[in-house]
Amino acid sequence: MNFLHVYGIFLRNIILIRRSIGRMFGLFFFATFELFLWGFITIWLRDLAPKDARIDFVFLLLTGLLFWDLFIRAQQSFSISFLEDVWSRNIMNFFATPVAMKEFIAGLALISLVQGFLTFIYIGGLAVLLYALDIWALGFYMIPFFMNIFVFGWALGLIAIGLLLRFGPAFEILAFFIPMMFLPFSAVYYPVSVFPEFIQQAAFFLPTMHLFEGMRQVLTQEVFPLSDVLWATGLNILYFALGLAFFLWMVRVARKKGLIARLLQD
Amino acid sequence: MSTLLKVENLTKTYGQTTAVDGISFEAKEGEVVGLLGPNGAGKSTTIHMLLSLLEPTEGSIEIFGKDLKAHREEILQHINFATAYSMLPHNLTPYENLKIFALLYGVQQWRTAAESLLEEFNLAEFRNARTGSLSTGEQMRLVLAKAFLNSPKLLLLDEPTASLDPAVARDLRQKIYYKMQENNGTILWTSHNMREIEAMCDRVIFMAHGKIVADDTPENLKKTFQSGDLEDIFIAIARQPSPKI
């Protein structure tokens, strides 16, 4: 592993984030609006609920929002870093460098970690200020939660990049849309038990479902959800391996079909 | 002079279409080789295969005595390229672009390398301007500066002066030539400018219909084809329906 190569990929994205209003919007502003929206909804729900209700809506929904936002950031920053090269027609220059695919992935993962944590710290701080949200209530569960949320985001990011390489910028909407496809089935804001039976069975194969179910277990019962953590980790190892295999396959296909140079023309 | 690049039976097909058809050639250390041919002859496809952007259907590429497929990263560390058709990212400054590519090429002194190439290619005054705001000539100078970041032993140039005025083109040609002479580097140069090729190249390879149809020094080619200049030879080859000469 050549760390200069990894740092090159990282530095390019840091410069672009610093300079681009669009990237800043993605990092901070959308999350701020979401926090306001969900914050007010949850306060309203809390006021509607009976006084002796045992569920703290603000706490549960906003914690879900915070961590879902982290997942979106992990996936999108990974894919968008690659899209930057497509948009700036830099793909050919980049692929002709001696950067190995493992260094490319490490660079994107690093930028995803930094962007994810930057957004999380910012939005978490804001939630503490506005709603007195105690994000540290998850305790040690935050460690496997963070690890799993990033790894699943990277697995999906690898698939999105693979599809972009194969089908060109026409598929760039996927880079933004992929996490949204998982939102309704990940039990972020409601328990998995509200789903019909067949959706519950399908949702079982989503690491995010286990993570958010586990999160609620910690917050409401103060129990470490070992089974959920193990399932999420196992599924993530599988999905990351599949995402990696798919990405490497698409790179081979792109090299075989001449798709890298064609990305300059699309 | 030792052989630096060895291409054997290189073929690239897309379905029924053959873009490059079993070509073989060599380039020696310090040699400047022109790769000429009409549009669609297979020049860019060949360059893309040498950069490992494209996988050959058949044949082998050896650079520095090593197989490109097996030693991709190691070989690309000592190769660079410039094309008029792929400028550097417009949203970064020239200095940022050079700094980042120096890192991507694994240059240890990346800051120094970026600074000194900005000076050498007369780009220092644009150091902190957006690359997109530079003129075509200035952007091409930047692309060429990028191509020298890793002091390449093999430089692939795909129509590097295609969009430049004659004065800028001549300055850049000289710059390229002297910089490559400094480290006895090899250049593979494609162009549609025959005077440029004649002035720069020790040897010229003509391609048509994906095949090599001639490979010799400019002087010998003129004798063989009984022609006064390379442009006439180029036109004759481009108009031939059959690649066999």
Side-chain angles (χ1 to χ4, degrees):
Chain A
M1 179 86 77
N2 186 329
F3 291 103
L4 288 177
H5 296 170
V6 178
Y7 182 54
I9 295 165
F10 176 74
L11 183 65
R12 163 142 198 256
N13 281 282
I14 289 294
I15 292 170
L16 286 175
I17 292 166
R18 248 182 14 210
R19 189 165 302 151
S20 160
I21 291 175
R23 296 279 292 255
M24 282 288 184
F25 250 89
L27 269 186
F28 301 115
F29 297 109
F30 291 134
T32 309
F33 294 135
E34 272 188 327
L35 187 68
F36 279 128
L37 175 74
W38 283 98
F40 292 131
I41 291 173
T42 51
I43 288 170
W44 180 60
L45 286 173
R46 187 181 59 190
D47 293 345
L48 285 178
K51 293 285 176 242
D52 57 348
R54 289 183 306 151
I55 295 174
D56 185 341
F57 286 114
V58 178
F59 195 36
L60 279 179
L61 291 178
L62 287 187
T63 311
L65 169 75
L66 233 67
F67 284 102
W68 182 253
D69 217 71
L70 183 69
F71 170 61
I72 289 185
R73 202 55 43 218
Q75 188 275 328
Q76 283 187 351
S77 56
F78 197 88
S79 314
I80 291 171
S81 303
F82 172 78
L83 264 174
E84 286 284 357
D85 279 321
V86 177
W87 290 330
S88 57
R89 297 178 179 272
N90 191 40
I91 281 291
M92 210 166 122
N93 292 322
F94 179 78
F95 272 87
T97 64
V99 174
M101 284 302 113
K102 63 184 175 194
E103 292 157 354
F104 172 64
I105 294 168
L108 296 189
L110 186 61
I111 198 74
S112 155
L113 277 171
V114 170
Q115 288 194 47
F117 280 120
L118 267 179
T119 311
F120 186 79
I121 290 165
Y122 163 75
I123 206 76
L126 207 58
V128 171
L129 278 176
L130 294 173
Y131 308 109
L133 190 77
D134 180 13
I135 54 168
W136 305 112
L138 284 169
F140 285 116
Y141 184 57
M142 286 174 99
I143 297 169
F145 193 101
F146 278 138
M147 280 166 52
N148 273 292
I149 213 94
F150 275 107
V151 173
F152 191 45
W154 298 341
L156 296 178
L158 285 169
I159 291 169
I161 294 175
L163 290 169
L164 277 163
L165 265 173
R166 176 65 187 84
F167 298 105
F171 266 67
E172 73 180 42
I173 188 72
L174 270 183
F176 300 95
F177 190 64
I178 282 183
M180 302 315 290
M181 296 195 301
F182 294 98
L183 177 59
F185 313 108
S186 292
V188 178
Y189 302 116
Y190 37 76
V192 74
S193 57
V194 303
F195 293 140
E197 186 62 28
F198 73 99
I199 295 184
Q200 282 189 40
Q201 285 170 1
F204 182 84
F205 296 100
L206 285 179
T208 40
M209 186 282 282
H210 293 284
L211 292 173
F212 284 97
E213 280 287 285
M215 178 198 81
R216 260 186 303 278
Q217 219 174 313
V218 176
L219 296 179
T220 56
Q221 299 163 29
E222 297 182 4
V223 176
F224 187 83
L226 185 63
S227 163
D228 280 314
V229 169
L230 290 177
W231 270 111
T233 307
L235 287 168
N236 266 329
I237 291 169
L238 175 69
Y239 293 149
F240 187 79
L242 288 174
L244 184 62
F246 178 77
F247 166 74
L248 293 174
W249 177 42
M250 287 298 113
V251 171
R252 275 199 303 276
V253 169
R255 288 211 168 107
K256 213 169 175 175
K257 291 180 177 285
L259 301 174
I260 295 167
R262 212 176 296 167
L263 275 172
L264 281 177
Q265 293 147 18
D266 284 329
Chain B
M1 286 198 298
S2 62
T3 301
L4 191 127
L5 166 68
K6 189 175 177 187
V7 169
E8 266 183 29
N9 192 32
L10 194 65
T11 303
K12 184 67 197 174
T13 57
Y14 299 103
Q16 300 297 313
T17 311
T18 302
V20 173
D21 193 359
I23 63 168
S24 301
F25 65 92
E26 289 185 7
K28 301 205 181 299
E29 214 175 345
E31 201 176 16
V32 182
V33 180
L35 193 58
L36 301 186
N39 293 330
K43 307 181 301 285
S44 294
T45 305
T46 303
I47 296 250
H48 290 171
M49 286 192 276
L50 295 177
L51 286 167
S52 96
L53 294 170
L54 193 58
E55 196 182 296
T57 311
E58 266 179 58
S60 66
I61 300 169
E62 263 185 32
I63 303 176
F64 316 126
K66 290 177 178 166
D67 178 60
L68 178 62
K69 196 173 176 185
H71 299 90
R72 180 186 170 274
E73 285 90 28
E74 191 188 341
I75 290 171
L76 288 180
Q77 199 85 42
H78 304 287
I79 295 184
N80 216 316
F81 88 109
T83 168
Y85 307 109
S86 181
M87 296 296 178
L88 299 188
H90 284 188
N91 47 7
L92 298 178
T93 67
Y95 176 62
E96 288 165 347
N97 265 317
L98 291 182
K99 203 167 65 172
I100 286 162
F101 273 98
L103 284 164
L104 296 180
Y105 276 95
V107 178
Q108 294 289 334
Q109 305 296 321
W110 44 284
R111 283 197 188 91
T112 321
E115 293 281 10
S116 70
L117 281 163
L118 278 177
E119 291 287 344
E120 276 188 66
F121 282 81
N122 303 323
L123 290 162
E125 61 179 303
F126 309 113
R127 188 182 187 277
N128 299 318
R130 274 184 74 250
T131 298
S133 69
L134 304 185
S135 71
T136 311
E138 289 153 358
Q139 286 195 44
M140 197 58 224
R141 290 214 301 265
L142 181 61
V143 169
L144 283 165
K146 185 250 4 166
F148 285 101
L149 276 167
N150 57 336
S151 308
K153 293 296 283 178
L154 173 63
L155 182 60
L156 306 174
L157 300 173
D158 191 6
E159 300 183 36
T161 56
S163 52
L164 304 177
D165 68 56
V168 175
R170 189 165 67 182
D171 288 349
L172 281 181
R173 275 198 296 272
Q174 282 169 357
K175 186 82 78 184
I176 293 165
Y177 185 74
Y178 290 124
K179 281 207 68 73
M180 285 308 277
Q181 276 212 323
E182 275 172 19
N183 57 345
N184 200 25
T186 304
I187 306 179
L188 192 63
W189 192 314
T190 82
S191 175
H192 284 147
N193 181 340
M194 297 304 116
R195 285 181 62 189
E196 175 172 279
I197 291 294
E198 205 167 341
M200 301 302 298
C201 299
D202 304 311
R203 211 175 96 221
V204 174
I205 296 172
F206 267 108
M207 286 184 76
H209 306 285
K211 289 179 187 287
I212 292 178
V213 293
D215 180 353
D216 215 329
T217 62
E219 287 313 310
N220 285 345
L221 281 170
K222 282 191 233 170
K223 278 182 207 156
T224 309
F225 284 83
Q226 295 173 329
S227 172
D229 61 23
L230 287 180
E231 194 161 303
D232 291 337
I233 303 172
F234 182 97
I235 292 168
I237 286 171
R239 286 182 179 164
Q240 286 218 351
S242 161
K244 290 187 177 68
I245 291 176

